[in-house]
Amino acid sequence: MSTIMLVDDSATILLSVSSILTKAGYSVEKAPNAEDALKKFQGGVKIDLLITDLNMPGMNGIELIKKVRQMPSYKFVPILFLTTESQLERKQEAKAAGASGWIVKPATADELLSTIKLVIR
């Protein structure tokens, strides 16, 4: 079973997306912000995919990706953005930081799961 880390400051998104992922057979780790996600990584949480929001209080998703990519054990883990942002320059900034893909909210369960299947091996 693959483990997915979901990072979003919206409790509603955490609940709805983790429900979709759990029903699809994934194990889900949740974090309400980037700082909490980093603590979990430093605590030894092993994941197969990181899905993060872009706009969060404190550290944003792009900053989180940059920090995750500096950790040797997460250098090649796929990272997806799940965000309301759809501007090309934001996508390019995320890709430059190390994002593997982008999902625009609101995404259907099918869109979410098909994108995940593309990036998880």
Side-chain angles (χ1 to χ4, degrees):
M1 176 186 333
S2 296
T3 300
I4 298 173
M5 168 78 76
L6 183 59
V7 185
D8 202 303
D9 59 318
S10 164
T12 305
I13 294 291
L14 282 178
L15 190 64
S16 61
V17 174
S18 67
S19 174
I20 291 166
L21 297 175
T22 304
K23 285 178 186 163
Y26 296 104
S27 173
V28 180
E29 284 283 338
K30 294 180 278 198
N33 56 55
E35 291 84 356
D36 193 50
L38 285 173
K39 283 181 191 152
K40 289 184 181 222
F41 289 135
Q42 290 159 350
V45 167
K46 296 286 180 235
I47 62 163
D48 301 290
L49 171 66
L50 170 62
I51 299 176
T52 183
D53 188 15
L54 173 60
N55 299 308
M56 296 181 283
M59 186 186 307
N60 71 31
I62 288 175
E63 293 168 303
L64 173 61
I65 288 176
K66 288 177 180 175
K67 291 201 178 290
V68 169
R69 289 294 186 221
Q70 291 170 359
M71 299 176 177
S73 48
Y74 299 104
K75 205 173 202 92
F76 302 108
V77 167
I79 300 174
L80 294 175
F81 260 120
L82 180 63
T83 183
T84 55
E85 301 269 346
S86 59
Q87 296 95 342
L88 182 62
E89 67 265 9
R90 288 304 243 177
K91 289 181 181 182
Q92 290 169 334
E93 190 181 353
K95 189 173 170 106
S100 312
W102 192 280
I103 302 169
V104 177
K105 293 179 196 171
T108 66
D110 288 342
E111 288 172 318
L112 185 65
L113 295 172
S114 64
T115 304
I116 289 169
K117 285 182 182 143
L118 290 174
V119 295
I120 284 188
R121 302 218 157 98

